[in-house]
Amino acid sequence: MIAANLLPLLVWGTVVGLDLASVLQGLLNRPLVAGGVAGVILGDPETGLRIGAVLELFALDVLPIGASRYPDYGAATVAAVAFGAGQEWAVALGPSVILGLLLAQVGGAGIVLQRRVTARALRGAALALDQGEPGAATRVHAAGLAADVVRSVGLAALGMAVATLGEHAPRLDLATAETLTVVAVSGGFVALIGGAIRRAGTRRRIAWLAGGVALGLLGVGLT
């Protein structure tokens, strides 16, 4: 399944990587979007949405601003969906989400390296920028964009390689796979709640958050 769709998955993984900060910023990098489209490419949109939804719980705590360090969930989600597509969701969800989380951390390390490349290009062009040399700023921007293209392509290619190898690896037994699914989903909700509490800040806002959660649970119970 992955081999037949390798090029579209690589292209999509690269696009969502670039969408994180360098270009577009059209929320294509969100796991729910990245996973959903990857699922459509693979002919299994339900798996794409399920895996994307769980990884979205972790990604909601990410603020890609300034010099903050954060995982890159875009291409990681594409690889996770490629790994889990075509399998029973209860078996595939947990291992796929864990794979996505690991690859997202690799993507985050790649972001740090990319920033260093951009900083080096900026230092090299400092004199030209100070003198207002035409095209100096364009060259610095182009260097940063090229570094992000390399990073995004590399992460997408790594993800496809891992997913392809995983496709031929022995499958976990049902009990282990279902346990990993419970752990992955539970971890996602813990990350979501922890991030919401940190973002809330003041006691008053935390109280409003608790009230909203209580109303949401009440609504679920009534339905």
Side-chain angles (χ1 to χ4, degrees), residues 17-23 70 72 106-123 140-153 155:
L18 292 172
D19 178 74
L20 177 62
S22 292
V23 295
Y70 45 82
D72 182 359
V106 174
I111 292 173
V112 174
L113 293 176
Q114 175 215 339
R115 289 173 176 172
R116 291 176 180 173
V117 171
T118 304
R120 183 173 299 178
L122 183 60
R123 287 194 298 269
V140 173
H141 281 293
L145 179 59
D148 201 21
V149 169
V150 172
R151 182 195 69 83
S152 298
V153 171
L155 182 59

Side-chain angles (χ1 to χ4, degrees), residues 12-123:
W12 178 237
T14 302
V15 168
V16 298
L18 292 172
D19 178 74
L20 177 62
S22 292
V23 295
L24 299 179
Q25 293 187 329
L27 299 182
L28 303 179
N29 188 269
R30 303 306 307 180
L32 192 59
V33 179
V37 174
V40 171
I41 292 173
L42 291 162
D44 192 355
E46 291 186 4
T47 294
L49 290 174
R50 285 193 179 100
I51 294 173
V54 177
L55 287 171
E56 185 72 41
L57 297 176
F58 292 92
L60 284 172
D61 195 32
V62 172
L63 284 177
I65 56 175
S68 60
R69 296 192 178 190
Y70 45 82
D72 182 359
Y73 286 97
T77 301
V78 175
V81 174
F83 175 75
Q87 302 182 54
E88 178 66 30
W89 76 267
V91 174
L93 185 60
S96 299
V97 168
I98 291 172
L99 173 62
L101 292 174
L102 293 174
L103 288 173
Q105 296 298 324
V106 174
I111 292 173
V112 174
L113 293 176
Q114 175 215 339
R115 289 173 176 172
R116 291 176 180 173
V117 171
T118 304
R120 183 173 299 178
L122 183 60
R123 287 194 298 269

